[in-house]
Each structure stands twice: as structure tokens, then as C-alpha cells.
């Protein structure tokens, strides 16, 4: 596998209709057959948000698997036998098999700043049974009627725990988004800025995928994050 040799590039591929249909079928089965209580249980709009949350995560795993030629997931979040202990995939990274936990998000924008962040609940990093070595961040967005996946990069879990990257914010801390709206963390959470990601590996197979292109993070405002 190759990287570009700098710290801020990432790559984009087009998400196919087949990948979306496959992920949707997993989520629909999960919701119908595995009604596990989640963060949307008491939300008046919970059913819709639950579907979107599970769909985003599942589609991210599907496109990750196809990009790196790994076995696709066969279960979506909530399956009673679906506990993976933070190991969505085993990926050969720099010559070593590492455990990857894919973190997918859905944004309206398809351009990203260096100071945008990935949020990871602190309890996930400190679980004694966690198998995760790296978190891999993928963004999904729509543009001109098509869906694209931006493979933004990896972060070493140990580097976060050791304080080399990321910042810990306690539950109740108020944060400011790029559009100046605010929110409060419901639980202790680590923020990792995109500029601190490790460049995602690129293979000839990935370069041949539909819509493949490289992109660069835009400079971010130093006084704001999201």
C-alpha cells in the first residue's frame, strides 16, 4: 500500500447503488429483528434517526470493505450476535495486520477543513475488552444526485489515550460548530482534528474504483472546530 507522503491528503470514491441497497437491507433487517435500545430510544423522531444512524455506519463499513477487498459486514448495528469489540476489520497497514474500527459520518458538505473533528466517546477508547488499534474516519455525502465516500484517514487509539493527538472534553462541555451553532457533549468525548489523521492507504484497486480522486483538507480557522 502507498501513501502520498504528506499529512493532509485523502481520497474520494463514488458509492454505488448496489452498495447502498446492500447496506439498507442489513439495517432494515437489524431494526426489524434486533430492537436493541440505543441513544434514540426516547427521541420523538427516534425511528428515523435510528435508521439514518445505523445506515450511515453500515454503509461506511460496506464501502470500506469493498475498497480494501475485505469481507463485507453481514450484520448491522444491534444484532444480538454482532458484538465486534471495536474490530470491524483486520487491515494490513504498513506491513502489520491491525484492528480497524470504522467511524462513518454523514455531512452535507463535501469539502473538509483541517480543524474539523472526529468525536469518539471516551468509554470506547478505555474499554478493557476493546480490540481496536486504529479508528478510520469516512464521510458520506451527496453531490449532484450521487453519493460519495471520503476516506479521510486513520488515528492510532494509543496516541489518543497517551495524549499525543486529540482533546478530551467532559460531559456537559459546550462546543461551537463551524456554522456558529452550539451543542453540549452528553458524555466524556475525545475530539481528534482531521489534520492529525494518518493518511489513508491507497492501492491500485482503489485507484480504479468509480469516481476515485485525491483531495486535500482546506486550512481551518484556529478559533473554531467541527
Amino acid at each position: 500500500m502507498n501513501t502520498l507522503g504528506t499529512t493532509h491528503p485523502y481520497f474520494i470514491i463514488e458509492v454505488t447503488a448496489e452498495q447502498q441497497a446492500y447496506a439498507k437491507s442489513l439495517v432494515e433487517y437489524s431494526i426489524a429483528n434486533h430492537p436493541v435500545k440505543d441513544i434514540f430510544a426516547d427521541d420523538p423522531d427516534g425511528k428515523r434517526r435510528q435508521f439514518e444512524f445505523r445506515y450511515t455506519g453500515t454503509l461506511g463499513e460496506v464501502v470500506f470493505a469493498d475498497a480494501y477487498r475485505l469481507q463485507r459486514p453481514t450484520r448491522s448495528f444491534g444484532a444480538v450476535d454482532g458484538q465486534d469489540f471495536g474490530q470491524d476489520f483486520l487491515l494490513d497497514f504498513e506491513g502489520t495486520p491491525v484492528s480497524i474500527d470504522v467511524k462513518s459520518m454523514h455531512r452535507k458538505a463535501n469539502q473538509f477543513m483541517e480543524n474539523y473533528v472526529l468525536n469518539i466517546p471516551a468509554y470506547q477508547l478505555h474499554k478493557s475488552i476493546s480490540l481496536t488499534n486504529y479508528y478510520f474516519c469516512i464521510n458520506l455525502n451527496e453531490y449532484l444526485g450521487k453519493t460519495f465516500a471520503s476516506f479521510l484517514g486513520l488515528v492510532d487509539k494509543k496516541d489518543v489515550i497517551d495524549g499525543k493527538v486529540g482533546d478530551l472534553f467532559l460531559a456537559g462541555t459546550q462546543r461551537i460548530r463551524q456554522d456558529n451553532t452550539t451543542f453540549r457533549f452528553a458524555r466524556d468525548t475525545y475530539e481528534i482534528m482531521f489534520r492529525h489523521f494518518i493518511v489513508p492507504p491507497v492501492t491500485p484497486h482503489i485507484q480504479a474504483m468509480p469516481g476515485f480522486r485525491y483531495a486535500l483538507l482546506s486550512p481551518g480557522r484556529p478559533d473554531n472546530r467541527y
Side-chain angles (χ1 to χ4, degrees):
M1 293 187 177
N2 303 312
T3 64
L4 291 176
T6 60
T7 57
H8 303 316
Y10 60 96
F11 69 86
I12 301 169
I13 58 174
E14 184 177 336
V15 180
T16 68
E18 186 278 330
Q19 288 173 323
Q20 294 176 70
Y22 180 82
K24 182 180 178 182
S25 68
L26 292 185
V27 175
E28 288 176 340
Y29 182 88
S30 172
I31 290 176
N33 295 276
H34 306 292
V36 177
K37 185 175 181 178
D38 58 23
I39 59 175
F40 305 114
D42 300 320
D43 190 319
D45 195 25
K47 289 185 177 181
R48 180 190 63 81
R49 295 187 66 195
Q50 181 190 65
F51 179 87
E52 291 179 353
F53 177 74
R54 295 191 187 191
Y55 177 72
T56 297
T58 302
L59 183 57
E61 292 180 7
V62 171
V63 297
F64 182 93
D66 289 356
Y68 290 109
R69 308 182 91 166
L70 302 169
Q71 182 178 344
R72 281 181 172 183
T74 57
R75 296 181 297 265
S76 180
F77 172 85
V80 292
D81 59 345
Q83 175 60 266
D84 59 18
F85 303 106
Q87 180 177 286
D88 294 326
F89 300 97
L90 280 174
L91 178 69
D92 182 16
F93 180 60
E94 298 182 342
T96 302
V98 297
S99 177
I100 300 290
D101 187 357
V102 176
K103 297 295 185 185
S104 304
M105 63 184 76
H106 184 276
R107 291 176 185 263
K108 295 180 180 179
N110 63 350
Q111 295 181 332
F112 309 100
M113 293 187 176
E114 294 176 343
N115 60 346
Y116 282 10
V117 299
L118 170 66
N119 290 328
I120 304 178
Y123 77 87
Q124 291 187 9
L125 282 93
H126 296 289
K127 272 186 178 179
S128 61
I129 58 174
S130 173
L131 301 174
T132 305
N133 298 125
Y134 290 86
Y135 297 100
F136 198 115
C137 183
I138 293 177
N139 181 86
L140 301 164
N141 72 278
E142 288 75 41
Y143 182 68
L144 296 179
K146 296 182 178 180
T147 300
F148 294 89
S150 299
F151 285 59
L152 296 164
L154 308 83
V155 60
D156 189 327
K157 184 180 77 171
K158 187 176 185 300
D159 284 349
V160 179
I161 293 175
D162 291 346
K164 294 180 180 179
V165 296
D167 296 294
L168 175 62
F169 293 92
L170 300 181
T173 301
Q174 179 173 289
R175 304 296 289 137
I176 302 174
R177 299 186 180 95
Q178 196 73 24
D179 62 4
N180 290 319
T181 59
T182 63
F183 70 99
R184 292 185 184 275
F185 284 119
R187 53 172 68 100
D188 296 354
T189 302
Y190 285 94
E191 282 188 355
I192 300 98
M193 284 192 285
F194 287 7
R195 68 160 60 98
H196 293 146
F197 288 170
I198 300 166
V199 177
V202 178
T203 66
H205 169 72
I206 290 173
Q207 291 174 318
M209 296 184 80
F212 172 85
R213 68 180 179 91
Y214 290 114
L216 292 172
L217 297 175
S218 299
R221 300 203 307 249
D223 60 337
N224 204 2
R225 300 180 184 184
Y226 193 63

